[in-house]
Coordinates of all heavy atoms in Angstrom, one line a residue:
G16 N -22.2 33.1 6.3 CA -21.8 34.5 6.5 C -21.7 35.2 5.1 O -22.2 36.3 5.0
L17 N -21.2 34.5 4.1 CA -21.1 35.2 2.8 C -22.4 35.4 2.2 O -22.7 36.4 1.5 CB -20.2 34.3 1.9 CG -18.7 34.3 2.2 CD1 -17.9 33.3 1.3 CD2 -18.1 35.6 2.2
N18 N -23.4 34.5 2.5 CA -24.7 34.6 2.0 C -25.4 35.8 2.6 O -26.1 36.6 1.9 CB -25.5 33.3 2.3 CG -26.8 33.3 1.7 OD1 -27.0 33.6 0.5 ND2 -27.8 32.9 2.4
V19 N -25.2 36.0 3.9 CA -25.8 37.2 4.5 C -25.2 38.5 3.9 O -25.8 39.5 3.6 CB -25.6 37.2 6.1 CG1 -26.1 38.5 6.7 CG2 -26.4 36.0 6.7
L20 N -23.8 38.5 3.8 CA -23.1 39.7 3.2 C -23.6 40.0 1.8 O -23.8 41.1 1.4 CB -21.6 39.4 3.2 CG -21.0 39.4 4.6 CD1 -19.6 38.9 4.6 CD2 -21.0 40.8 5.2
Y21 N -23.9 38.9 1.1 CA -24.4 39.1 -0.3 C -25.8 39.7 -0.2 O -26.1 40.7 -0.9 CB -24.4 37.8 -1.1 CG -25.0 38.0 -2.5 CD1 -24.2 38.6 -3.5 CD2 -26.3 37.8 -2.7 CE1 -24.8 38.9 -4.7 CE2 -26.9 38.1 -4.0 CZ -26.1 38.6 -5.0 OH -26.7 38.9 -6.2
N22 N -26.7 39.1 0.6 CA -28.0 39.6 0.7 C -28.2 41.0 1.2 O -29.2 41.7 1.0 CB -28.9 38.6 1.5 CG -29.3 37.5 0.6 OD1 -29.4 37.5 -0.6 ND2 -29.6 36.3 1.2
I23 N -27.2 41.4 2.0 CA -27.2 42.8 2.6 C -26.6 43.7 1.6 O -26.7 45.0 1.7 CB -26.5 42.8 4.0 CG1 -27.2 43.9 4.8 CG2 -25.0 43.1 3.9 CD1 -26.8 43.8 6.3
G24 N -25.9 43.2 0.6 CA -25.4 44.0 -0.5 C -24.0 44.6 -0.3 O -23.6 45.6 -0.9
A25 N -23.2 43.9 0.6 CA -21.9 44.4 0.9 C -21.0 44.7 -0.3 O -20.3 45.7 -0.4 CB -21.2 43.4 1.8
D26 N -21.1 43.8 -1.3 CA -20.2 43.9 -2.5 C -20.4 45.2 -3.2 O -19.5 45.8 -3.8 CB -20.5 42.7 -3.5 CG -22.0 42.6 -3.8 OD1 -22.8 42.4 -2.9 OD2 -22.3 42.8 -5.0
Q27 N -21.7 45.8 -3.1 CA -22.0 47.0 -3.8 C -21.2 48.2 -3.1 O -20.8 49.2 -3.8 CB -23.5 47.3 -3.8 CG -24.2 46.2 -4.4 CD -25.7 46.4 -4.3 OE1 -26.4 46.6 -5.3 NE2 -26.3 46.2 -3.1
I28 N -21.1 48.1 -1.8 CA -20.3 49.2 -1.1 C -18.8 49.0 -1.2 O -18.1 50.0 -1.3 CB -20.7 49.2 0.4 CG1 -22.2 49.5 0.5 CG2 -19.9 50.3 1.2 CD1 -22.8 49.5 1.9
C29 N -18.4 47.8 -1.3 CA -17.0 47.5 -1.5 C -16.5 48.1 -2.8 O -15.3 48.5 -2.8 CB -16.7 46.0 -1.4 SG -17.0 45.3 0.2
K30 N -17.3 48.1 -3.8 CA -16.8 48.5 -5.1 C -16.3 49.9 -5.1 O -15.1 50.1 -5.4 CB -18.0 48.4 -6.1 CG -17.6 47.6 -7.4 CD -18.8 47.5 -8.3 CE -19.3 46.1 -8.4 NZ -20.6 46.0 -9.1
P31 N -17.0 51.0 -4.7 CA -16.5 52.3 -4.7 C -15.4 52.4 -3.6 O -14.4 53.2 -3.8 CB -17.6 53.2 -4.4 CG -18.7 52.3 -3.8 CD -18.5 51.0 -4.4
C32 N -15.5 51.7 -2.5 CA -14.5 51.8 -1.5 C -13.1 51.3 -2.0 O -12.1 52.0 -1.8 CB -14.9 50.9 -0.3 SG -13.7 50.8 1.1
I33 N -13.1 50.1 -2.7 CA -11.9 49.6 -3.2 C -11.3 50.5 -4.3 O -10.1 50.8 -4.3 CB -12.1 48.2 -3.7 CG1 -12.4 47.2 -2.6 CG2 -10.9 47.7 -4.5 CD1 -12.9 45.8 -3.0
A34 N -12.2 51.0 -5.2 CA -11.8 51.9 -6.3 C -11.1 53.2 -5.8 O -10.3 53.7 -6.4 CB -13.0 52.2 -7.1
S35 N -11.5 53.6 -4.5 CA -10.9 54.8 -4.0 C -9.7 54.5 -3.1 O -9.1 55.4 -2.5 CB -11.9 55.5 -3.1 OG -13.0 55.8 -3.9
G36 N -9.3 53.2 -3.0 CA -8.1 52.9 -2.2 C -8.4 52.5 -0.8 O -7.5 52.4 0.0
G37 N -9.7 52.3 -0.4 CA -10.0 52.1 1.0 C -10.2 50.6 1.4 O -10.6 50.3 2.4
S38 N -9.7 49.7 0.5 CA -9.9 48.3 0.8 C -9.3 47.8 2.1 O -8.2 48.3 2.4 CB -9.3 47.5 -0.4 OG -9.3 46.1 0.0
C39 N -10.0 47.0 2.8 CA -9.5 46.4 4.0 C -8.6 45.2 3.7 O -8.0 44.7 4.7 CB -10.7 45.9 4.9 SG -11.9 44.9 4.0
C40 N -8.4 44.8 2.5 CA -7.5 43.7 2.2 C -6.1 44.1 1.7 O -5.3 43.2 1.4 CB -8.1 42.8 1.1 SG -9.7 42.1 1.5
I41 N -5.9 45.4 1.7 CA -4.6 45.9 1.2 C -3.4 45.3 2.0 O -3.5 45.2 3.2 CB -4.5 47.5 1.4 CG1 -5.4 48.1 0.2 CG2 -3.1 48.0 1.3 CD1 -5.5 49.6 0.3
D42 N -2.4 44.8 1.2 CA -1.2 44.2 1.7 C -1.4 42.8 2.3 O -0.5 42.3 3.0 CB -0.5 45.1 2.7 CG 0.0 46.4 2.1 OD1 0.3 46.4 0.8 OD2 0.2 47.4 2.8
C43 N -2.6 42.2 2.2 CA -2.8 40.9 2.7 C -2.1 39.9 1.8 O -2.2 40.0 0.6 CB -4.2 40.6 2.9 SG -4.5 38.9 3.5
R44 N -1.4 38.9 2.4 CA -0.7 37.9 1.6 C -1.7 37.0 0.9 O -1.2 36.3 0.0 CB 0.3 37.2 2.5 CG -0.3 36.3 3.6 CD 0.7 35.9 4.6 NE 0.0 35.5 5.8 CZ 0.1 34.3 6.3 NH1 0.8 33.3 5.7 NH2 -0.6 33.9 7.4
F45 N -2.9 37.0 1.3 CA -3.9 36.1 0.6 C -4.7 36.8 -0.5 O -5.5 36.1 -1.1 CB -4.9 35.5 1.7 CG -4.2 34.7 2.8 CD1 -4.3 35.1 4.1 CD2 -3.4 33.6 2.5 CE1 -3.7 34.4 5.1 CE2 -2.8 32.9 3.5 CZ -2.9 33.3 4.8
L46 N -4.4 38.0 -0.7 CA -5.1 38.8 -1.8 C -4.4 38.6 -3.1 O -3.2 38.9 -3.2 CB -5.1 40.2 -1.4 CG -5.9 41.1 -2.4 CD1 -7.4 40.8 -2.5 CD2 -5.7 42.6 -2.1
Q47 N -5.1 38.1 -4.1 CA -4.6 38.0 -5.5 C -5.1 39.2 -6.2 O -6.4 39.2 -6.5 CB -4.9 36.7 -6.1 CG -4.1 36.4 -7.3 CD -4.4 35.0 -7.9 OE1 -4.7 34.1 -7.1 NE2 -4.3 34.8 -9.2
P48 N -4.3 40.1 -6.6 CA -4.8 41.3 -7.3 C -5.6 41.0 -8.5 O -5.3 40.2 -9.3 CB -3.5 42.1 -7.7 CG -2.5 41.6 -6.7 CD -2.8 40.2 -6.4
G49 N -6.8 41.7 -8.6 CA -7.7 41.5 -9.7 C -8.5 40.2 -9.6 O -9.5 40.0 -10.4
V50 N -8.2 39.3 -8.6 CA -9.0 38.1 -8.5 C -9.8 38.1 -7.1 O -11.0 37.8 -7.1 CB -8.0 36.9 -8.5 CG1 -8.8 35.6 -8.4 CG2 -7.2 36.9 -9.8
G51 N -9.0 38.4 -6.1 CA -9.7 38.5 -4.8 C -9.0 37.6 -3.7 O -7.9 37.1 -3.9
C52 N -9.7 37.3 -2.6 CA -9.2 36.6 -1.5 C -9.0 35.1 -1.9 O -9.9 34.5 -2.4 CB -10.1 36.7 -0.3 SG -9.6 35.7 1.1
Q53 N -7.8 34.6 -1.6 CA -7.5 33.1 -1.9 C -7.6 32.3 -0.6 O -7.3 31.1 -0.7 CB -6.1 33.0 -2.5 CG -5.9 33.8 -3.8 CD -6.9 33.4 -4.8 OE1 -6.9 32.3 -5.3 NE2 -7.9 34.2 -5.2
Q54 N -7.9 32.9 0.5 CA -8.0 32.1 1.8 C -9.1 32.6 2.7 O -8.8 33.2 3.7 CB -6.6 32.3 2.5 CG -6.4 31.5 3.7 CD -5.8 30.2 3.4 OE1 -5.1 30.0 2.4 NE2 -6.1 29.2 4.3
R55 N -10.3 32.4 2.2 CA -11.5 32.8 3.0 C -11.5 32.2 4.3 O -11.3 31.0 4.4 CB -12.7 32.4 2.2 CG -13.8 33.5 1.9 CD -13.9 34.6 2.8 NE -14.2 35.9 2.1 CZ -14.5 37.0 2.7 NH1 -14.7 37.0 4.0 NH2 -14.7 38.1 2.0
N56 N -11.6 33.0 5.4 CA -11.6 32.4 6.7 C -12.7 33.0 7.5 O -13.4 33.9 7.1 CB -10.2 32.7 7.4 CG -10.0 34.2 7.3 OD1 -10.7 35.0 8.0 ND2 -8.9 34.7 6.6
T57 N -12.9 32.4 8.7 CA -14.0 32.8 9.6 C -13.8 34.3 10.1 O -14.8 35.0 10.2 CB -14.2 31.9 10.8 OG1 -13.0 31.8 11.5 CG2 -14.7 30.5 10.4
S58 N -12.5 34.6 10.3 CA -12.3 36.0 10.9 C -12.7 37.1 10.0 O -13.4 38.0 10.3 CB -10.8 36.1 11.2 OG -10.3 34.9 11.6
C59 N -12.2 37.0 8.7 CA -12.5 38.0 7.7 C -14.0 38.0 7.4 O -14.5 39.1 7.0 CB -11.6 37.9 6.5 SG -9.9 38.2 6.8
T60 N -14.6 36.9 7.4 CA -16.0 36.8 7.0 C -16.9 37.5 8.2 O -17.8 38.3 7.9 CB -16.5 35.4 6.9 OG1 -15.6 34.7 6.0 CG2 -17.9 35.3 6.3
A61 N -16.5 37.3 9.4 CA -17.2 37.9 10.5 C -16.9 39.4 10.7 O -17.8 40.1 11.1 CB -16.8 37.2 11.8
W62 N -15.8 39.8 10.3 CA -15.4 41.2 10.6 C -16.1 42.2 9.7 O -16.3 41.9 8.5 CB -13.9 41.4 10.3 CG -13.3 42.8 10.5 CD1 -13.0 43.3 11.7 CD2 -13.1 43.8 9.6 NE1 -12.6 44.6 11.6 CE2 -12.7 44.9 10.2 CE3 -13.3 43.9 8.2 CZ2 -12.4 46.1 9.6 CZ3 -13.0 45.1 7.5 CH2 -12.5 46.2 8.2
L63 N -16.6 43.3 10.3 CA -17.3 44.3 9.6 C -16.6 45.6 9.7 O -16.2 46.1 10.8 CB -18.7 44.5 10.1 CG -19.7 43.3 10.1 CD1 -21.0 43.7 10.9 CD2 -20.0 42.8 8.7
C64 N -16.4 46.3 8.5 CA -15.8 47.6 8.5 C -16.9 48.6 9.0 O -18.1 48.2 9.1 CB -15.3 48.0 7.2 SG -16.6 48.3 5.9
G65 N -16.6 49.9 9.2 CA -17.6 50.8 9.6 C -18.8 50.9 8.7 O -19.9 51.1 9.2
F66 N -18.6 50.9 7.4 CA -19.7 51.0 6.4 C -20.6 49.8 6.6 O -21.9 50.0 6.7 CB -19.2 51.1 5.0 CG -18.4 52.3 4.6 CD1 -17.5 52.2 3.7 CD2 -18.7 53.5 5.2 CE1 -16.7 53.4 3.3 CE2 -18.0 54.6 4.9 CZ -17.0 54.6 3.9
L67 N -20.1 48.6 6.6 CA -20.9 47.4 6.7 C -21.6 47.3 8.1 O -22.8 47.0 8.2 CB -20.2 46.2 6.4 CG -19.5 46.1 5.0 CD1 -18.9 44.7 4.7 CD2 -20.5 46.5 3.9
K68 N -20.8 47.7 9.1 CA -21.4 47.7 10.5 C -22.6 48.6 10.5 O -23.6 48.3 11.1 CB -20.3 48.1 11.5 CG -20.5 47.7 12.9 CD -19.4 48.1 13.8 CE -18.3 47.1 13.9 NZ -17.3 47.5 14.9
Y69 N -22.5 49.8 9.9 CA -23.6 50.8 9.9 C -24.8 50.2 9.1 O -25.9 50.3 9.6 CB -23.1 52.0 9.2 CG -24.1 53.1 9.1 CD1 -24.7 53.7 10.2 CD2 -24.5 53.6 7.8 CE1 -25.7 54.7 10.1 CE2 -25.5 54.6 7.7 CZ -26.1 55.1 8.9 OH -27.0 56.1 8.7
I70 N -24.6 49.5 8.0 CA -25.7 48.9 7.3 C -26.4 47.8 8.1 O -27.6 47.7 8.2 CB -25.3 48.4 5.9 CG1 -24.7 49.5 5.1 CG2 -26.4 47.7 5.2 CD1 -25.6 50.5 4.5
F71 N -25.6 47.0 8.7 CA -26.1 45.9 9.6 C -26.9 46.6 10.8 O -28.0 46.1 11.1 CB -25.0 45.1 10.2 CG -24.7 43.9 9.3 CD1 -23.8 44.0 8.2 CD2 -25.1 42.6 9.7 CE1 -23.6 42.9 7.5 CE2 -24.8 41.5 8.9 CZ -24.0 41.6 7.8
F72 N -26.4 47.7 11.3 CA -27.0 48.4 12.4 C -28.4 48.9 12.0 O -29.4 48.7 12.6 CB -26.1 49.5 12.9 CG -26.9 50.5 13.8 CD1 -27.2 50.2 15.1 CD2 -27.2 51.8 13.2 CE1 -27.8 51.2 15.9 CE2 -27.9 52.7 14.0 CZ -28.2 52.4 15.3
E73 N -28.4 49.6 10.8 CA -29.6 50.3 10.3 C -30.6 49.2 9.9 O -31.8 49.5 9.9 CB -29.3 51.2 9.1 CG -28.6 52.5 9.5 CD -29.5 53.5 10.2 OE1 -30.6 53.1 10.6 OE2 -29.1 54.6 10.4
S74 N -30.2 48.0 9.5 CA -31.2 47.1 9.1 C -31.6 46.2 10.2 O -32.4 45.2 10.0 CB -30.6 46.2 7.9 OG -29.4 45.6 8.4
G75 N -31.1 46.4 11.4 CA -31.5 45.6 12.6 C -30.9 44.2 12.6 O -31.3 43.4 13.4
L76 N -29.8 43.9 11.8 CA -29.3 42.6 11.8 C -27.9 42.5 12.5 O -27.3 41.4 12.5 CB -29.0 42.2 10.3 CG -30.3 42.0 9.4 CD1 -29.9 41.8 8.0 CD2 -31.1 40.9 10.0
L77 N -27.5 43.6 13.2 CA -26.2 43.6 13.7 C -26.1 42.7 15.0 O -25.1 41.9 15.1 CB -25.8 45.0 14.1 CG -24.4 45.2 14.7 CD1 -23.3 44.8 13.7 CD2 -24.1 46.6 15.2
L78 N -27.1 42.7 15.8 CA -27.0 41.9 17.0 C -26.9 40.4 16.7 O -26.1 39.6 17.3 CB -28.1 42.2 18.0 CG -28.0 43.6 18.7 CD1 -29.2 43.9 19.6 CD2 -26.7 43.7 19.5
Q79 N -27.8 39.9 15.8 CA -27.8 38.5 15.5 C -26.4 38.1 14.8 O -25.9 37.0 15.0 CB -28.9 38.1 14.6 CG -28.8 38.6 13.1 CD -29.4 37.6 12.1 OE1 -29.9 36.5 12.5 NE2 -29.3 37.9 10.9
W80 N -25.8 39.1 14.0 CA -24.5 38.8 13.4 C -23.5 38.6 14.5 O -22.7 37.7 14.4 CB -24.2 40.0 12.5 CG -22.9 39.9 11.7 CD1 -21.7 40.5 12.1 CD2 -22.6 39.1 10.5 NE1 -20.7 40.1 11.2 CE2 -21.3 39.3 10.2 CE3 -23.4 38.3 9.7 CZ2 -20.7 38.8 9.1 CZ3 -22.9 37.8 8.5 CH2 -21.5 38.0 8.2
E81 N -23.4 39.5 15.5 CA -22.4 39.5 16.5 C -22.6 38.2 17.3 O -21.6 37.6 17.7 CB -22.6 40.7 17.5 CG -22.4 42.0 16.7 CD -21.1 42.6 16.9 OE1 -20.6 42.6 18.0 OE2 -20.5 43.0 15.9
L82 N -23.9 37.9 17.7 CA -24.1 36.7 18.5 C -23.6 35.4 17.8 O -23.1 34.5 18.4 CB -25.6 36.6 18.8 CG -26.2 37.4 19.9 CD1 -27.7 37.2 20.0 CD2 -25.5 36.9 21.3
F83 N -23.9 35.4 16.5 CA -23.6 34.2 15.7 C -22.1 34.0 15.7 O -21.6 32.9 16.0 CB -24.1 34.4 14.2 CG -23.7 33.3 13.3 CD1 -24.4 32.1 13.4 CD2 -22.7 33.4 12.4 CE1 -24.1 31.0 12.6 CE2 -22.4 32.3 11.5 CZ -23.1 31.1 11.7
W84 N -21.3 35.1 15.4 CA -19.9 34.9 15.3 C -19.2 34.7 16.6 O -18.1 34.2 16.7 CB -19.3 36.1 14.4 CG -19.7 36.0 13.0 CD1 -20.6 36.7 12.3 CD2 -19.2 35.0 12.0 NE1 -20.8 36.2 11.0 CE2 -19.9 35.2 10.8 CE3 -18.3 33.9 12.1 CZ2 -19.7 34.4 9.7 CZ3 -18.1 33.2 10.9 CH2 -18.8 33.4 9.8
D85 N -19.8 35.2 17.7 CA -19.3 35.0 19.0 C -19.2 33.5 19.3 O -18.4 33.1 20.2 CB -20.2 35.6 20.1 CG -19.9 37.1 20.2 OD1 -18.9 37.6 19.6 OD2 -20.7 37.8 20.9
Q86 N -20.0 32.7 18.6 CA -20.0 31.2 18.9 C -18.9 30.5 18.1 O -18.7 29.3 18.3 CB -21.3 30.6 18.4 CG -22.6 31.3 18.8 CD -23.8 30.8 18.0 OE1 -24.6 30.1 18.5 NE2 -23.9 31.2 16.8
V87 N -18.3 31.2 17.2 CA -17.3 30.5 16.2 C -15.9 30.7 16.8 O -15.4 31.8 16.8 CB -17.4 31.1 14.8 CG1 -16.4 30.5 13.9 CG2 -18.8 31.0 14.3
P88 N -15.3 29.6 17.2 CA -14.0 29.7 17.8 C -12.8 29.9 16.8 O -13.0 29.7 15.6 CB -13.8 28.3 18.5 CG -14.7 27.4 17.7 CD -15.8 28.2 17.1
G89 N -11.7 30.3 17.3 CA -10.5 30.4 16.5 C -10.3 31.5 15.5 O -9.5 31.4 14.6
Q90 N -11.0 32.6 15.8 CA -10.9 33.7 14.8 C -9.6 34.6 15.2 O -9.3 34.8 16.4 CB -12.1 34.7 14.9 CG -13.4 34.0 14.4 CD -14.6 34.8 14.6 OE1 -14.6 36.0 14.1 NE2 -15.6 34.3 15.2
D91 N -8.9 35.0 14.2 CA -7.6 35.7 14.4 C -7.6 36.8 13.4 O -8.5 37.1 12.7 CB -6.5 34.8 14.2 CG -5.3 35.2 15.1 OD1 -5.1 36.5 15.3 OD2 -4.4 34.4 15.5
Y92 N -6.4 37.5 13.2 CA -6.3 38.6 12.2 C -5.9 38.0 10.9 O -4.9 37.4 10.7 CB -5.2 39.5 12.7 CG -5.0 40.7 11.7 CD1 -6.0 41.6 11.5 CD2 -3.8 40.8 11.0 CE1 -5.8 42.7 10.6 CE2 -3.6 41.8 10.1 CZ -4.6 42.7 9.9 OH -4.4 43.8 9.0
R93 N -6.9 38.1 9.9 CA -6.7 37.7 8.5 C -6.4 36.2 8.4 O -5.9 35.7 7.4 CB -5.6 38.5 7.8 CG -6.0 39.9 7.6 CD -4.9 40.7 6.8 NE -5.5 42.0 6.4 CZ -4.8 42.9 5.7 NH1 -3.6 42.7 5.4 NH2 -5.4 44.0 5.4
E94 N -6.7 35.4 9.4 CA -6.6 33.9 9.3 C -7.4 33.4 10.5 O -7.9 34.1 11.4 CB -5.2 33.5 9.4 CG -4.4 33.9 10.7 CD -2.9 33.5 10.7 OE1 -2.6 32.4 10.0 OE2 -2.2 34.2 11.3
D95 N -7.6 32.1 10.5 CA -8.3 31.5 11.6 C -7.7 30.2 12.0 O -6.9 29.6 11.3 CB -9.8 31.3 11.3 CG -10.1 30.3 10.2 OD1 -9.5 29.2 10.3 OD2 -10.9 30.5 9.4
Y96 N -8.1 29.8 13.2 CA -7.7 28.4 13.8 C -9.0 27.7 14.1 O -9.1 26.9 15.0 CB -6.9 28.6 15.0 CG -5.6 29.4 14.7 CD1 -5.6 30.8 15.0 CD2 -4.5 28.8 14.1 CE1 -4.5 31.5 14.7 CE2 -3.4 29.5 13.7 CZ -3.4 30.9 14.0 OH -2.3 31.7 13.7

Side-chain angles (χ1 to χ4, degrees):
L17 290 178
N18 187 43
V19 173
L20 289 169
Y21 177 79
N22 280 335
I23 212 167
D26 54 298
Q27 301 174 111
I28 299 177
C29 292
K30 236 181 246 170
C32 176
I33 292 169
S35 302
S38 171
C39 48
C40 296
I41 283 176
D42 294 335
C43 178
R44 64 198 163 116
F45 300 121
L46 180 67
Q47 194 173 328
V50 182
C52 178
Q53 299 302 295
Q54 186 86 29
R55 234 329 140 170
N56 55 63
T57 54
S58 325
C59 292
T60 310
W62 181 81
L63 299 174
C64 72
F66 292 150
L67 301 188
K68 201 179 268 187
Y69 178 62
I70 300 291
F71 270 78
F72 165 76
E73 287 286 12
S74 58
L76 295 173
L77 184 61
L78 290 177
Q79 72 142 4
W80 181 262
E81 302 262 313
L82 277 175
F83 178 75
W84 289 105
D85 280 353
Q86 313 166 104
V87 177
Q90 296 176 52
D91 207 332
Y92 178 66
R93 291 185 166 177
E94 60 185 329
D95 69 41
Y96 304 97

